[in-house]
Amino acid sequence: MTAPTALISGAGIAGSAAAYWLRRAGCDVTVVERANVPRRGGQTVDLRGAGRTVARRMDVFDEIVARSVEQRGLAVVDDDGRVRASLQVDAFDGNGMVSEIEILRGDLADVLLAAAADDVEFVWGDSVVALTEHAGGVTVEFERSPARTFDLVIGADGTHSAVRAAAFGPETRFLRPLGGYQAWFTAPAAPELDGWYLMHRAPGGLVSSLRPGRLPGETKASLGFAGGPVDVDRRDGAAVRALLRERFAGVTGWKVPWLLDAADAAPDLVFDSIDQVRMDRWTIGRVALVGDAACSPSSLTGMGTCMAVVGAYVLAGELGRARHDHRAAFARYEEIMQPYVAQAQELPPGGMAGYAPRSRFGITLSTLSMRSMTRWPVRAIAARFFAKADAIDLPDYTADRAG
Ligand SMILES: Cc1cc2nc3c(=O)[nH]c(=O)nc-3n(C[C@H](O)[C@H](O)[C@H](O)COP(=O)(O)OP(=O)(O)OC[C@H]3O[C@@H](n4cnc5c(N)ncnc54)[C@H](O)[C@@H]3O)c2cc1C
């Protein structure tokens, strides 16, 4: 039997994990990534629950732990930098708002890419523009490369997925805006962090934060704001920087002016709206979506990386188990992942308003609720929220291979 060919769009977290597992499920894998080189940006992301199990099964868990960033916890600071509420990293057994294993997104992307690289063809600097399914497979048209036909096409190309647009329709049908925006970037060292992830809120729904990086001399920063749609191209760095300056104008507390300067100088600024992706189904014909493209839970939940890694594992594992019968495999993939994703997409209490309160009163309330998080009765509610990463009965496809 010849190996089925699979095209994966996106060499991010879901794409690299899918490449690794699809190779092991016996597919010939090609990955197309729009960027010219692997994208290393982003802050720390956490790999929890079943995500850690998948990393162990990929044999990359030790590498992830070795590259993880040591953090002491999350603290909310006021205009003068005084801590108003804090949550230690070991609260909730190391699975709280900051988890005990946090790795820079760029480092995780590198580890997964290295694990996937053997026997996988990578096409950098290109993008899917159209898909046509027929009896012989799916013919894919690209922006630059000539058209090719594959047995399967996997969209792992993030919230603004090109594969989803080509196979399911325009993103406005699936993107649920949560009413805010976030910028992530690398900033210079800030000794006052002392291992803490510090967060500051200002009236108007303005959130700034700074957390440790892995390399000496750098920290990872974020500027976010609540609000309706903005008329800015998220890839236009100059326009994004001007927008951040406009939104944060007049905020002089904590390190906000320093952060705006750091954003101006940052080589890796990423900016996007805070959205969830909601779809009834993630597969159609020979096309399947995985990770943020299928089901982004948004950065407010802290579950996106876990969904990406676990989704890639289940999708490929079911293809192997069904001996490449994509109809049967895709149905099982959705059946296994849908309940897990539904829980992951539940927002933390308060949702966007909890993350970016608009008034001074709202900021005080949110700070108080963080202080009470480790105390009865809030502790039990919070513990249930943080336990979601484990809420899946993960099949062991590695045992299939051994057998
Ligand atoms: C540079 C960057 C920085 C990020 N920083 C953070 C962060 O700090 N905190 C956080 O919570 N989340 C961050 N995220 C999102 C986070 O990685 C995801 O929410 C999560 O890990 C799920 O991964 P994913 O692979 O589904 O999506 P992503 O990690 O977003 O990967 C999608 C990949 O697809 C590629 N792509 C997009 N469009 C196309 C196309 N048309 N053709 C081919 N390839 C395409 C992208 O370049 C990217 O490599 C970041 C994402 C990126 C790309």
Side-chain angles (χ1 to χ4, degrees):
M1 198 172 73
T2 54
T5 53
L7 175 73
I8 299 171
S9 173
I13 306 300
S16 297
Y20 175 94
W21 288 110
L22 282 171
R23 272 301 297 143
R24 266 136 204 86
C27 297
D28 261 352
V29 179
T30 301
V31 178
V32 59
E33 160 63 49
R34 191 173 46 202
N36 291 323
V37 290
R39 296 186 67 188
R40 303 208 68 265
Q43 303 210 320
T44 48
V45 292
D46 42 20
L47 208 55
R48 300 159 183 256
R52 289 186 197 170
T53 307
V54 173
R56 283 198 184 88
R57 291 180 187 167
M58 286 179 81
D59 245 343
V60 294
F61 188 69
D62 290 346
E63 181 68 21
I64 288 172
V65 173
R67 294 212 201 182
S68 65
V69 177
E70 267 190 51
Q71 292 183 92
R72 296 173 64 189
L74 168 67
V76 171
V77 294
D78 65 14
D79 285 352
D80 300 317
R82 282 180 305 218
V83 172
R84 290 300 178 190
S86 65
L87 201 63
Q88 304 256 10
V89 73
D90 56 4
F92 303 98
D93 300 324
N95 287 310
M97 285 168 95
V98 174
S99 94
E100 67 189 350
I101 302 176
E102 300 232 351
I103 177 168
L104 292 177
R105 181 201 168 276
D107 282 343
L108 179 61
D110 276 356
V111 169
L112 297 178
L113 201 58
D118 279 353
D119 292 336
V120 169
E121 178 196 7
F122 284 90
V123 179
W124 300 96
D126 209 346
S127 171
V128 169
V129 290
L131 304 173
T132 311
E133 184 162 342
H134 45 81
V138 186
T139 298
V140 183
E141 287 167 56
F142 297 96
E143 260 169 31
R144 295 174 177 201
S145 314
R148 284 168 68 177
T149 298
F150 296 88
D151 294 311
L152 302 168
V153 174
I154 312 297
D157 40 5
T159 3
H160 305 286
S161 168
V163 169
R164 191 185 59 221
F168 292 84
E171 72 175 35
T172 45
R173 282 174 50 195
F174 310 111
L175 236 53
R176 182 183 292 188
L178 297 181
Y181 289 80
Q182 247 173 347
W184 294 304
F185 53 95
T186 299
E192 66 268 41
L193 282 190
D194 194 22
W196 284 85
Y197 170 11
L198 301 182
M199 181 183 283
H200 174 267
R201 269 89 67 95
L206 302 169
V207 185
S208 42
S209 74
L210 196 58
R211 56 203 301 182
R214 183 171 60 80
L215 300 175
E218 68 174 39
T219 53
K220 296 290 169 174
S222 154
L223 291 167
F225 56 86
V230 295
D231 189 19
V232 162
D233 175 354
R234 67 195 156 82
R235 296 200 205 121
D236 180 345
V240 167
R241 288 173 171 96
L243 175 70
L244 291 173
R245 287 222 170 254
E246 181 198 310
R247 291 294 167 132
F248 282 84
V251 184
T252 54
W254 189 48
K255 294 178 73 69
V256 174
W258 182 88
L259 284 168
L260 287 166
D261 289 345
D264 282 348
D268 59 351
L269 184 85
V270 178
F271 177 76
D272 211 340
S273 46
I274 304 176
D275 307 308
Q276 287 195 328
V277 174
R278 298 273 187 147
M279 304 181 77
D280 296 334
R281 47 182 315 200
W282 306 316
T283 64
I284 185 165
R286 292 170 177 270
V287 179
L289 304 174
V290 66
D292 278 0
C295 58
S296 171
S298 85
S299 58
L300 300 191
T301 66
M303 292 287 288
T305 306
C306 199
M307 294 300 107
V309 170
V310 174
Y313 169 76
V314 172
L315 177 63
E318 289 300 328
L319 270 164
R321 203 167 258 192
R323 298 187 191 284
H324 306 141
D325 172 353
H326 66 274
R327 284 183 204 86
F330 287 179
R332 281 288 293 152
Y333 161 61
E334 295 189 328
E335 194 182 319
I336 293 170
M337 288 298 293
Q338 288 279 9
Y340 188 45
V341 166
Q343 285 196 51
Q345 290 194 322
E346 283 168 20
L347 293 175
M352 192 65 204
Y355 164 72
R358 295 204 184 225
S359 64
R360 283 240 173 256
F361 180 64
I363 294 172
T364 305
L365 268 186
S366 166
T367 307
L368 287 175
S369 81
M370 188 167 153
R371 269 191 216 159
S372 63
M373 209 174 250
T374 52
R375 297 189 209 129
W376 187 89
V378 182
R379 186 185 162 81
I381 300 166
R384 261 205 310 281
F385 185 81
F386 295 131
K388 290 186 301 194
D390 258 325
I392 183 169
D393 190 5
L394 204 59
D396 189 353
Y397 305 111
T398 59
D400 292 357
R401 281 207 322 277

mmCIF file of all heavy atoms in Angstrom, residues 186-194 210-213 215-221 255 258-259 262:
data_model
loop_
_atom_site.group_PDB
_atom_site.id
_atom_site.type_symbol
_atom_site.label_atom_id
_atom_site.label_comp_id
_atom_site.label_asym_id
_atom_site.label_seq_id
_atom_site.Cartn_x
_atom_site.Cartn_y
_atom_site.Cartn_z
ATOM 1 N N THR A 186 9.474 41.113 22.743
ATOM 2 C CA THR A 186 10.619 40.962 23.642
ATOM 3 C C THR A 186 11.074 42.338 24.085
ATOM 4 O O THR A 186 11.146 43.273 23.277
ATOM 5 C CB THR A 186 11.752 40.221 22.910
ATOM 6 O OG1 THR A 186 11.252 38.932 22.543
ATOM 7 C CG2 THR A 186 12.970 40.039 23.803
ATOM 8 N N ALA A 187 11.370 42.466 25.387
ATOM 9 C CA ALA A 187 11.825 43.739 25.957
ATOM 10 C C ALA A 187 13.184 43.519 26.640
ATOM 11 O O ALA A 187 13.573 42.372 26.875
ATOM 12 C CB ALA A 187 10.788 44.253 26.957
ATOM 13 N N PRO A 188 13.885 44.610 26.965
ATOM 14 C CA PRO A 188 15.174 44.443 27.663
ATOM 15 C C PRO A 188 14.983 43.891 29.078
ATOM 16 O O PRO A 188 13.854 43.780 29.562
ATOM 17 C CB PRO A 188 15.727 45.877 27.732
ATOM 18 C CG PRO A 188 14.929 46.671 26.776
ATOM 19 C CD PRO A 188 13.599 46.011 26.642
ATOM 20 N N ALA A 189 16.100 43.594 29.735
ATOM 21 C CA ALA A 189 16.046 43.059 31.103
ATOM 22 C C ALA A 189 15.375 44.055 32.053
ATOM 23 O O ALA A 189 15.452 45.265 31.840
ATOM 24 C CB ALA A 189 17.460 42.775 31.584
ATOM 25 N N ALA A 190 14.736 43.531 33.078
ATOM 26 C CA ALA A 190 14.106 44.379 34.094
ATOM 27 C C ALA A 190 14.331 43.697 35.445
ATOM 28 O O ALA A 190 13.565 42.813 35.815
ATOM 29 C CB ALA A 190 12.614 44.549 33.796
ATOM 30 N N PRO A 191 15.401 44.092 36.168
ATOM 31 C CA PRO A 191 15.798 43.369 37.384
ATOM 32 C C PRO A 191 14.675 43.283 38.421
ATOM 33 O O PRO A 191 14.615 42.334 39.194
ATOM 34 C CB PRO A 191 16.967 44.202 37.927
ATOM 35 C CG PRO A 191 17.419 45.054 36.799
ATOM 36 C CD PRO A 191 16.277 45.212 35.850
ATOM 37 N N GLU A 192 13.764 44.276 38.419
ATOM 38 C CA GLU A 192 12.719 44.272 39.443
ATOM 39 C C GLU A 192 11.731 43.101 39.300
ATOM 40 O O GLU A 192 10.947 42.833 40.198
ATOM 41 C CB GLU A 192 11.952 45.602 39.456
ATOM 42 C CG GLU A 192 11.123 45.905 38.215
ATOM 43 C CD GLU A 192 11.907 46.704 37.176
ATOM 44 O OE1 GLU A 192 13.105 46.393 36.968
ATOM 45 O OE2 GLU A 192 11.310 47.605 36.568
ATOM 46 N N LEU A 193 11.791 42.389 38.180
ATOM 47 C CA LEU A 193 10.878 41.240 38.026
ATOM 48 C C LEU A 193 11.185 40.161 39.061
ATOM 49 O O LEU A 193 10.284 39.517 39.582
ATOM 50 C CB LEU A 193 11.035 40.588 36.647
ATOM 51 C CG LEU A 193 10.402 41.247 35.445
ATOM 52 C CD1 LEU A 193 10.481 40.321 34.250
ATOM 53 C CD2 LEU A 193 8.957 41.601 35.733
ATOM 54 N N ASP A 194 12.465 39.914 39.282
ATOM 55 C CA ASP A 194 12.896 38.932 40.270
ATOM 56 C C ASP A 194 12.146 37.597 40.093
ATOM 57 O O ASP A 194 11.705 36.986 41.070
ATOM 58 C CB ASP A 194 12.655 39.516 41.678
ATOM 59 C CG ASP A 194 13.380 38.711 42.743
ATOM 60 O OD1 ASP A 194 14.350 38.021 42.403
ATOM 61 O OD2 ASP A 194 12.938 38.760 43.909
ATOM 62 N N LEU A 210 4.841 42.101 32.086
ATOM 63 C CA LEU A 210 6.245 41.792 31.830
ATOM 64 C C LEU A 210 6.569 40.517 32.589
ATOM 65 O O LEU A 210 6.194 40.379 33.757
ATOM 66 C CB LEU A 210 7.101 42.954 32.350
ATOM 67 C CG LEU A 210 8.540 43.039 31.863
ATOM 68 C CD1 LEU A 210 8.603 43.129 30.342
ATOM 69 C CD2 LEU A 210 9.211 44.281 32.473
ATOM 70 N N ARG A 211 7.219 39.578 31.908
ATOM 71 C CA ARG A 211 7.555 38.323 32.577
ATOM 72 C C ARG A 211 8.961 37.895 32.187
ATOM 73 O O ARG A 211 9.493 38.380 31.188
ATOM 74 C CB ARG A 211 6.515 37.255 32.243
ATOM 75 C CG ARG A 211 6.310 37.000 30.787
ATOM 76 C CD ARG A 211 4.954 36.399 30.463
ATOM 77 N NE ARG A 211 4.709 35.143 31.135
ATOM 78 C CZ ARG A 211 3.603 34.413 30.983
ATOM 79 N NH1 ARG A 211 2.634 34.822 30.182
ATOM 80 N NH2 ARG A 211 3.435 33.294 31.619
ATOM 81 N N PRO A 212 9.557 37.007 32.962
ATOM 82 C CA PRO A 212 10.929 36.620 32.664
ATOM 83 C C PRO A 212 11.039 35.973 31.286
ATOM 84 O O PRO A 212 10.123 35.300 30.823
ATOM 85 C CB PRO A 212 11.245 35.585 33.748
ATOM 86 C CG PRO A 212 10.244 35.819 34.825
ATOM 87 C CD PRO A 212 9.012 36.323 34.150
ATOM 88 N N GLY A 213 12.194 36.176 30.651
ATOM 89 C CA GLY A 213 12.523 35.432 29.437
ATOM 90 C C GLY A 213 13.453 34.299 29.827
ATOM 91 O O GLY A 213 13.728 34.098 31.003
ATOM 92 N N LEU A 215 16.601 33.869 28.154
ATOM 93 C CA LEU A 215 17.976 34.322 27.968
ATOM 94 C C LEU A 215 18.255 35.540 28.842
ATOM 95 O O LEU A 215 17.372 36.382 29.042
ATOM 96 C CB LEU A 215 18.193 34.681 26.491
ATOM 97 C CG LEU A 215 17.972 33.530 25.506
ATOM 98 C CD1 LEU A 215 18.093 34.030 24.076
ATOM 99 C CD2 LEU A 215 18.974 32.402 25.779
ATOM 100 N N PRO A 216 19.506 35.640 29.344
ATOM 101 C CA PRO A 216 19.835 36.821 30.135
ATOM 102 C C PRO A 216 19.659 38.068 29.276
ATOM 103 O O PRO A 216 19.902 38.034 28.071
ATOM 104 C CB PRO A 216 21.312 36.610 30.504
ATOM 105 C CG PRO A 216 21.759 35.337 29.873
ATOM 106 C CD PRO A 216 20.617 34.714 29.142
ATOM 107 N N GLY A 217 19.224 39.142 29.897
ATOM 108 C CA GLY A 217 19.130 40.413 29.165
ATOM 109 C C GLY A 217 17.821 40.615 28.439
ATOM 110 O O GLY A 217 17.621 41.633 27.799
ATOM 111 N N GLU A 218 16.898 39.639 28.523
ATOM 112 C CA GLU A 218 15.604 39.876 27.864
ATOM 113 C C GLU A 218 14.429 39.453 28.737
ATOM 114 O O GLU A 218 14.539 38.544 29.562
ATOM 115 C CB GLU A 218 15.534 39.203 26.490
ATOM 116 C CG GLU A 218 15.508 37.704 26.518
ATOM 117 C CD GLU A 218 15.286 37.101 25.127
ATOM 118 O OE1 GLU A 218 15.833 37.625 24.142
ATOM 119 O OE2 GLU A 218 14.549 36.103 25.038
ATOM 120 N N THR A 219 13.331 40.162 28.536
ATOM 121 C CA THR A 219 12.069 39.823 29.202
ATOM 122 C C THR A 219 10.995 39.734 28.115
ATOM 123 O O THR A 219 11.227 40.125 26.978
ATOM 124 C CB THR A 219 11.669 40.915 30.212
ATOM 125 O OG1 THR A 219 11.676 42.164 29.524
ATOM 126 C CG2 THR A 219 12.607 40.957 31.407
ATOM 127 N N LYS A 220 9.823 39.235 28.493
ATOM 128 C CA LYS A 220 8.739 39.093 27.521
ATOM 129 C C LYS A 220 7.576 39.990 27.959
ATOM 130 O O LYS A 220 7.092 39.881 29.092
ATOM 131 C CB LYS A 220 8.294 37.636 27.445
ATOM 132 C CG LYS A 220 9.397 36.716 26.923
ATOM 133 C CD LYS A 220 9.671 36.966 25.436
ATOM 134 C CE LYS A 220 10.922 36.262 24.967
ATOM 135 N NZ LYS A 220 11.138 36.373 23.537
ATOM 136 N N ALA A 221 7.179 40.873 27.057
ATOM 137 C CA ALA A 221 6.218 41.915 27.416
ATOM 138 C C ALA A 221 4.925 41.781 26.638
ATOM 139 O O ALA A 221 4.883 41.147 25.576
ATOM 140 C CB ALA A 221 6.836 43.277 27.122
ATOM 141 N N LYS A 255 5.546 50.652 34.529
ATOM 142 C CA LYS A 255 6.585 50.750 33.499
ATOM 143 C C LYS A 255 5.966 50.985 32.122
ATOM 144 O O LYS A 255 6.581 50.646 31.103
ATOM 145 C CB LYS A 255 7.394 49.446 33.464
ATOM 146 C CG LYS A 255 8.199 49.178 34.716
ATOM 147 C CD LYS A 255 8.925 47.867 34.623
ATOM 148 C CE LYS A 255 10.113 47.886 33.690
ATOM 149 N NZ LYS A 255 11.236 48.683 34.146
ATOM 150 N N TRP A 258 7.986 52.869 29.493
ATOM 151 C CA TRP A 258 9.163 52.036 29.142
ATOM 152 C C TRP A 258 8.735 50.908 28.211
ATOM 153 O O TRP A 258 9.428 50.582 27.246
ATOM 154 C CB TRP A 258 9.739 51.483 30.461
ATOM 155 C CG TRP A 258 10.962 50.641 30.350
ATOM 156 C CD1 TRP A 258 12.261 51.071 30.345
ATOM 157 C CD2 TRP A 258 11.024 49.202 30.255
ATOM 158 N NE1 TRP A 258 13.117 49.997 30.257
ATOM 159 C CE2 TRP A 258 12.387 48.842 30.202
ATOM 160 C CE3 TRP A 258 10.072 48.176 30.223
ATOM 161 C CZ2 TRP A 258 12.816 47.508 30.109
ATOM 162 C CZ3 TRP A 258 10.493 46.859 30.129
ATOM 163 C CH2 TRP A 258 11.849 46.533 30.066
ATOM 164 N N LEU A 259 7.573 50.320 28.478
ATOM 165 C CA LEU A 259 7.076 49.227 27.628
ATOM 166 C C LEU A 259 6.748 49.719 26.218
ATOM 167 O O LEU A 259 6.993 49.022 25.233
ATOM 168 C CB LEU A 259 5.834 48.588 28.263
ATOM 169 C CG LEU A 259 6.125 47.655 29.441
ATOM 170 C CD1 LEU A 259 4.839 47.315 30.188
ATOM 171 C CD2 LEU A 259 6.795 46.377 28.954
ATOM 172 N N ALA A 262 9.892 49.976 24.466
ATOM 173 C CA ALA A 262 10.389 48.624 24.154
ATOM 174 C C ALA A 262 9.633 48.049 22.950
ATOM 175 O O ALA A 262 10.228 47.376 22.103
ATOM 176 C CB ALA A 262 10.245 47.716 25.370
#
